[in-house]
Amino acid sequence: MTWQARVMTLFPEAFPGVLGISLAGRALENKTWSCSTYDLRQCGLGRHRAVDDTPFGGGAGMVIRADVADAAFSAVDAPADVPRVFLTPRGTPLRQKDVVRYAGAPGVVLMCGRFEGVDERVLEAHNVEQVSVGDYVLSGGEAAAQVFLDACVRLLPGVMGSDQSGVEESFSDGLLEYPHYTRPAEWQGRKVPDVLLSGNHAAIAAWRQKKAEETTRERRPDLWSAWLARREKNETAAGMSGQAG
């Protein structure tokens, strides 16, 4: 079954963009996934197809109207089990576990934000999930949508060359990934760690785990704290299970 991405945007020409090359592009050609765009302007009002209006309560910028966004969601006409997502800086941060969930769905409907956002009422009416791809502000949701879709598409069956590629990478087990090395074994006086040349798979696995922990602790203390708490919980549960036995 083809995983279907439906993208609501004022700039349909932005797609598939970078998703038309490399792994995602080949998967698109092979119909592993599809990308349909819906021009919000087609649901605009009046001779100029207006999609936005000034915000109630005042303030800078414009807001996409509820009636326009509602018409666009209705035009997409996706099945009820397809998640609806609005890409916005005020959304819930996108995590790898979320990507796994979206990739496991039949597809996704994405609404790319513009201006100051969209009327909150239409998001509530259509049970739209609000998602952020990072703690920064973009000019619009198109770039965020490409990030979102790339993360999902690479997890679809057959897209990556090795299923293990999706397992041994950052965030999959709560840690950042360990560092990588390849030929030459010595470059500009810098040598590959001896353990990686040893052929001792147990020692290599232990080294990689240690490096993943060190990197996460140094670069992402938030992930490190969560990983420690999860490990402690698992160890406690294992200890209680052993006592019960």
Side-chain angles (χ1 to χ4, degrees), residues 1-24:
M1 178 182 296
T2 300
W3 191 84
Q4 299 182 51
R6 301 168 173 90
V7 184
M8 301 156 58
T9 172
L10 286 169
F11 300 97
E13 64 273 17
F15 296 88
V18 297
L19 300 172
I21 61 175
S22 190
L23 293 178

Side-chain angles (χ1 to χ4, degrees), residues 2-232:
T2 300
W3 191 84
Q4 299 182 51
R6 301 168 173 90
V7 184
M8 301 156 58
T9 172
L10 286 169
F11 300 97
E13 64 273 17
F15 296 88
V18 297
L19 300 172
I21 61 175
S22 190
L23 293 178
R26 287 196 294 272
L28 192 61
E29 291 178 1
N30 295 334
K31 301 188 184 326
T32 302
W33 74 291
S34 66
C35 184
S36 303
T37 55
Y38 298 80
D39 189 348
L40 285 170
R41 193 71 67 183
Q42 294 301 312
C43 299
L45 306 175
R47 184 162 60 93
H48 297 292
R49 297 287 185 180
V51 300
D52 57 331
D53 211 327
T54 55
F56 284 122
M62 305 289 278
V63 177
I64 297 176
R65 294 173 55 112
D67 46 3
V68 171
D70 176 66
F73 275 113
S74 298
V76 170
D77 192 30
D81 59 345
V82 173
R84 274 75 169 163
V85 173
F86 175 52
L87 295 157
T88 168
R90 62 188 295 267
T92 301
L94 182 66
R95 305 298 186 197
Q96 189 66 18
K97 62 182 178 63
D98 304 312
V99 174
V100 171
R101 174 169 63 88
Y102 291 126
V108 68
V109 175
L110 295 180
M111 183 174 189
C112 300
R114 279 280 157 177
F115 317 116
E116 295 302 308
V118 63
D119 192 300
E120 191 74 13
R121 293 169 296 180
V122 75
L123 301 178
E124 296 170 353
H126 288 273
N127 296 315
V128 179
E129 301 178 35
Q130 300 189 47
V131 173
S132 169
V133 298
D135 294 341
Y136 43 83
V137 179
L138 301 171
S139 299
E142 287 73 25
Q146 299 227 359
V147 168
F148 182 104
L149 291 175
D150 183 80
C152 292
V153 168
R154 64 191 298 277
L155 295 185
L156 299 178
V159 174
M160 287 191 287
S162 169
D163 291 338
Q164 197 68 12
S165 296
V167 176
E168 295 183 354
E169 59 185 11
S170 293
F171 309 116
S172 293
D173 63 353
L175 297 173
L176 298 180
E177 195 173 14
Y178 50 80
H180 296 277
Y181 299 87
T182 187
R183 295 181 178 83
E186 183 174 344
W187 174 77
Q188 295 187 359
R190 301 170 184 267
K191 296 182 178 180
V192 171
D194 291 337
V195 65
L196 299 181
L197 307 176
S198 69
N200 185 330
H201 297 295
I204 292 172
W207 180 88
R208 286 175 169 170
Q209 178 67 22
K210 178 183 177 183
K211 288 298 181 181
E213 292 177 9
E214 290 177 352
T215 301
T216 304
R217 184 174 64 249
E218 293 171 2
R219 301 180 185 177
R220 291 291 301 273
D222 56 328
L223 293 178
W224 177 246
S225 296
W227 185 81
L228 284 178
R230 199 159 47 245
R231 185 177 68 175
E232 182 178 353

